[in-house]
Amino acid sequence: MELLLMLFSKRAALVTGTVVTAAAAVIGSAAAGQASGRPSAETHATAPTPTPSIPPQLQVPDGNKKTAVMDAKGVQTYACTNGAWTLLEPAATLSDARDIRHRPIALHSRGPVWVSTVDGSAVNAAAVPGASVPTPDAVPQLLLKATATRGDGVFGSVSYIQRLATRGGVAPIGSCEQGAQVSVPYSATYVFYAPAQ
């Protein structure tokens, strides 16, 4: 938990107050759940897990199975480098797509990395070359492959991640002043896969 708090304290200046507040609420609720002996994401609605349509370029290789579908809300932060906006980092909270209350259960940040606030598991990933689908007025949809995992929880055995149904998050248009930063709201659905047993 201390590592998670350090991670977000270093990035607090780069994200909007909304995301920082949400992250603090997630960490607090996870701690409260652990202290009471019950998980903080204990009861989800029983609606079927919605999965957005998947473009052919983003299909996961055979031998992997879907393990989680999570909705993300947050920002894509850009920094001005040599007069142009370049991606610095994402910052988002994720909730189980079946949970009608949208209770945050994971955090997404620079790496990119996804960390469960319920069980502490984590996954780092990198975009698969050529597996990107442009989306009008939004960041592209992507297929990412895990590069490292930690723990035995929800992210502990993740092999692939799809970023689907993206909305917003596009860098500003035009030139910028060196060193400037801007955070652009975005949302997406992340689908996580693990090797089939």
Side-chain angles (χ1 to χ4, degrees):
M1 189 61 71
E2 289 180 14
L3 178 61
L4 194 57
L5 288 170
M6 285 175 45
L7 175 70
F8 279 91
S9 66
K10 290 180 181 177
R11 292 190 170 86
L14 300 177
V15 296
T16 62
T18 302
V19 173
V20 172
T21 301
V26 170
I27 293 167
S29 72
Q34 290 170 354
S36 67
R38 58 183 171 77
S40 59
E42 54 187 2
T43 53
H44 294 293
T46 57
T49 302
T51 302
S53 62
I54 302 169
Q57 307 93 307
L58 307 185
Q59 294 293 331
V60 170
D62 291 341
N64 294 278
K65 64 178 181 178
K66 180 172 62 174
T67 58
V69 179
M70 298 186 187
D71 292 329
K73 291 194 178 194
V75 295
Q76 296 282 334
T77 298
Y78 297 89
C80 184
T81 306
N82 298 323
W85 293 107
T86 57
L87 180 64
L88 179 63
E89 65 181 350
T93 56
L94 282 72
S95 60
D96 188 317
R98 298 169 298 175
D99 184 1
I100 58 175
R101 292 174 57 192
H102 307 291
R103 290 168 288 192
I105 57 172
L107 301 170
H108 175 40
S109 60
R110 185 187 304 199
V113 63
W114 293 260
V115 178
S116 168
T117 57
V118 176
D119 60 37
S121 63
V123 57
N124 286 69
V128 173
S132 176
V133 175
T135 303
D137 302 317
V139 291
Q141 298 180 90
L142 300 173
L143 176 63
L144 303 105
K145 185 174 183 180
T147 57
T149 59
R150 180 186 75 211
D152 296 323
V154 67
F155 297 138
S157 60
V158 168
S159 52
Y160 285 90
I161 304 163
Q162 293 163 327
R163 181 173 77 181
L164 306 172
T166 54
R167 293 171 296 282
V170 179
I173 297 172
S175 60
C176 54
E177 183 177 335
Q178 184 70 22
Q181 292 184 4
V182 63
S183 295
V184 182
Y186 94 107
S187 62
T189 297
Y190 289 94
V191 184
F192 299 88
Y193 293 81
Q197 298 295 331

